[in-house]
C-alpha cells in the first residue's frame, strides 16, 4: 500500500500539458525571492511546502461526465455525493505566493456547477477557510491532517444526513518526525528542519477494518500506527491505498456507504464509522470490478466520490478509472 500519487498522474489532458499550465499560472505572479524556493512544483515558504494547483476545463468536464455516468447506472434511490479538497496553498495568507497557484475555490465550484441534480456536491471550502490558520495540512506532505479531515466531515454531515461528533470525542496520539512527499520531492533542508508532528485521530466506535488486497482478507483497525512505514505516518489511516476494503461498525441503521477515493480520503473515512453499518472503500485506480454490480450486491445506500483537487483538475486518469469500473 502507498500514499504516493496514483496512476491518474500519468495522463494529463492532451490539449493542455501540465508544464504549460503551470508556467502560465506562475508567470502571472511575481517571482519568489531567493529566500523561497521553487522546485518540483512545490513552493517552500516559511519552512512549509505548498503544492501548487492548476485547472483545465477539459479535465473538469471529463471528470463530471464520469461521475454522472456512474450515477446514471445505479438506482435513483441511492445518494451520490462528490467532495473535492484543495491543496494547502489555497489557504496561504500571503497573497503574492497564493497567486502562484490557480484559485482552487473557483476551480472546485466550476466543477460542482457541471453536475446535475442527481449528484450532490459537498462544498466544504468555507469551513476549511474559516480555520485556515490551524494545522489542517501537513508542512512536509501534500496530504491534510486528521483535524482538516474532521472539519470537512463536520461541514458535509448535514447534506449526507448525519450528525457529526465533536473532535474532542476522538482519542488521539501525537507522533513526531514525519517527513512527507514534499520533502521527498524536494529534499529541502528547510523542510527537513521542520518535520510534522502527526496527531492520529482514532475512531471511538468498535469496528473491524478488513483489507482485501490479496487472496485472503486481512482484518485490523481503520487507524493503526503499526501500519506506518519509515517516516510515512499518513499510512496509519486505513493502511494507505488498498484496491478494496470495508469497515463494519456497531451501528444498525440500514445505511451502507461506498467511498470511491484517492489517498486524500484516507484520513476522512474513519469519521464515517459511527454513522453507517458498513463503510465500503474502493480505490478505482487499483480495483477491477463493476461498481454498479457491487452497489447492488452489497445493498449500498450512499456513494461518495472523494478526491484531492489536483487529481481531477488537470489529469483525466482518475476519471478514466471511474469509467472503467462503471462501464461505458
Amino acid at each position: 500500500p502507498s500514499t504516493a500519487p496514483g496512476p491518474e498522474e500519468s495522463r494529463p489532458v492532451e490539449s493542455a500539458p501540465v508544464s504549460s499550465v503551470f508556467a502560465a499560472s506562475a508567470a502571472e505572479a511575481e517571482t519568489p525571492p531567493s529566500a523561497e524556493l521553487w522546485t518540483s512544483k512545490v513552493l517552500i515558504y516559511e519552512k512549509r511546502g505548498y503544492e501548487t494547483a492548476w485547472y483545465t476545463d477539459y479535465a473538469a468536464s471529463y471528470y463530471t461526465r464520469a461521475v454522472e455516468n456512474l450515477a446514471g447506472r445505479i438506482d435513483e434511490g441511492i445518494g451520490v455525493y462528490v467532495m473535492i479538497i484543495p491543496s494547502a496553498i489555497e489557504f496561504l495568507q500571503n497573497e503574492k505566493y497564493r497567486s502562484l497557484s490557480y484559485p482552487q475555490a473557483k476551480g472546485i465550484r466550476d466543477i460542482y456547477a457541471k453536475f446535475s441534480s442527481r449528484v450532490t456536491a459537498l462544498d466544504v471550502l468555507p469551513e476549511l477557510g474559516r480555520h485556515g490558520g490551524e494545522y489542517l495540512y501537513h508542512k512536509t506532505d501534500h496530504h491534510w491532517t486528521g483535524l482538516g479531515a474532521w472539519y470537512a466531515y463536520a461541514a458535509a454531515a448535514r447534506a449526507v444526513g448525519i450528525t457529526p461528533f465533536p473532535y474532542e470525542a476522538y482519542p488521539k496520539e501525537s507522533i513526531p518526525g514525519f517527513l512527507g512527499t514534499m520533502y521527498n520531492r524536494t529534499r529541502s533542508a528547510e523542510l527537513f528542519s521542520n518535520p510534522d508532528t502527526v496527531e492520529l485521530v482514532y475512531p471511538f466506535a468498535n469496528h473491524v477494518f478488513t483489507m482485501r488486497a490479496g487472496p485472503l482478507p486481512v482484518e485490523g483497525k481503520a487507524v493503526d500506527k503499526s501500519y506506518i512505514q519509515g517516516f510515512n505516518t499518513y499510512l496509519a489511516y486505513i493502511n494507505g491505498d488498498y484496491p478494496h476494503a470495508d469497515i463494519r461498525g456497531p451501528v444498525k441503521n440500514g445505511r451502507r456507504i461506498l467511498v470511491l477515493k484517492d489517498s486524500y480520503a484516507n484520513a476522512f473515512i474513519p469519521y464515517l464509522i459511527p454513522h453507517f453499518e458498513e463503510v465500503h472503500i474502493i480505490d478505482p485506480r487499483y480495483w477491477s470490478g463493476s461498481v454498479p454490480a457491487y452497489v447492488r450486491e452489497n445493498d449500498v445506500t450512499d456513494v461518495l466520490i472523494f478526491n484531492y483537487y489536483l487529481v481531477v483538475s488537470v489529469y483525466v486518469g482518475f476519471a478514466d478509472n471511474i469509467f472503467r469500473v462503471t462501464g461505458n
Side-chain angles (χ1 to χ4, degrees):
S2 168
T3 57
E8 72 279 357
E9 294 208 357
S10 65
R11 190 180 165 223
V13 297
E14 289 80 358
S15 59
V18 173
S19 58
S20 65
V21 175
F22 177 78
S25 63
E28 294 172 2
E30 182 180 341
T31 302
S34 58
E36 287 78 25
L37 172 67
W38 273 104
T39 180
S40 303
K41 301 186 180 68
V42 173
L43 168 67
I44 298 172
Y45 175 67
E46 295 186 341
K47 295 186 177 182
R48 297 184 67 123
Y50 295 90
E51 192 166 34
T52 59
W54 51 100
Y55 178 89
T56 71
D57 190 67
Y58 178 89
S61 297
Y62 189 66
Y63 174 70
T64 57
R65 289 200 303 272
V67 174
E68 290 282 0
N69 179 56
L70 171 61
R73 291 173 181 268
I74 60 179
D75 189 89
E76 287 199 7
I78 295 170
V80 179
Y81 307 91
V82 171
M83 187 185 296
I84 301 173
I85 305 300
S87 70
I89 200 170
E90 183 69 11
F91 306 111
L92 180 62
Q93 294 301 302
N94 186 306
E95 184 176 355
K96 179 175 70 173
Y97 299 126
R98 188 175 68 250
S99 69
L100 291 166
S101 180
Y102 188 89
Q104 293 169 80
K106 180 182 186 307
I108 290 171
R109 286 166 185 151
D110 284 350
I111 295 172
Y112 284 174
K114 297 177 186 294
F115 287 114
S116 71
S117 59
R118 177 68 179 93
V119 177
T120 300
L122 303 176
D123 187 0
V124 300
L125 268 75
E127 185 65 13
L128 291 173
R130 279 189 284 272
H131 300 275
E134 299 178 33
Y135 198 9
L136 305 187
Y137 292 84
H138 295 120
K139 298 173 292 185
T140 69
D141 192 78
H142 70 287
H143 293 105
W144 57 355
T145 65
L147 176 62
W150 180 85
Y151 279 123
Y153 148 78
R158 180 175 298 179
V160 182
I162 60 179
T163 301
F165 288 92
Y167 190 64
E168 294 72 25
Y170 298 87
K172 303 172 187 70
E173 180 180 6
S174 293
I175 301 180
F178 176 36
L179 294 169
T181 54
M182 288 188 291
Y183 168 72
N184 288 324
R185 285 165 60 182
T186 65
R187 295 293 170 173
S188 163
E190 289 186 72
L191 297 185
F192 184 80
S193 70
N194 193 30
D196 286 283
T197 294
V198 175
E199 185 174 67
L200 293 183
V201 184
Y202 291 96
F204 57 80
N206 291 327
H207 66 280
V208 176
F209 169 56
T210 305
M211 296 161 277
R212 304 181 184 277
L216 296 175
V218 178
E219 292 187 353
K221 293 295 182 182
V223 181
D224 191 333
K225 65 181 181 181
S226 72
Y227 300 149
I228 296 170
Q229 299 175 11
F231 287 117
N232 196 348
T233 309
Y234 193 74
L235 284 172
Y237 292 109
I238 69 168
N239 203 4
D241 294 334
Y242 272 81
H244 178 207
D246 58 67
I247 307 171
R248 298 172 192 268
V251 66
K252 301 298 179 185
N253 61 4
R255 295 190 72 178
R256 301 170 185 84
I257 190 169
L258 168 63
V259 184
L260 299 176
K261 61 91 186 178
D262 59 46
S263 64
Y264 239 73
N266 296 3
F268 177 91
I269 285 170
Y271 293 118
L272 300 175
I273 294 172
H275 304 289
F276 295 89
E277 283 193 20
E278 300 170 7
V279 179
H280 297 263
I281 306 160
I282 287 175
D283 191 325
R285 299 170 296 179
Y286 311 118
W287 187 73
S288 297
S290 165
V291 167
Y294 187 94
V295 167
R296 290 192 301 271
E297 293 164 5
N298 291 277
D299 295 321
V300 169
T301 58
D302 303 86
V303 176
L304 170 62
I305 300 96
F306 195 114
N307 287 111
Y308 183 40
Y309 175 83
L310 274 73
V311 168
V312 299
S313 61
V314 69
Y315 297 103
V316 296
F318 195 91
D320 279 339
N321 284 306
I322 294 178
F323 274 119
R324 179 179 56 79
V325 300
T326 301
N328 293 319

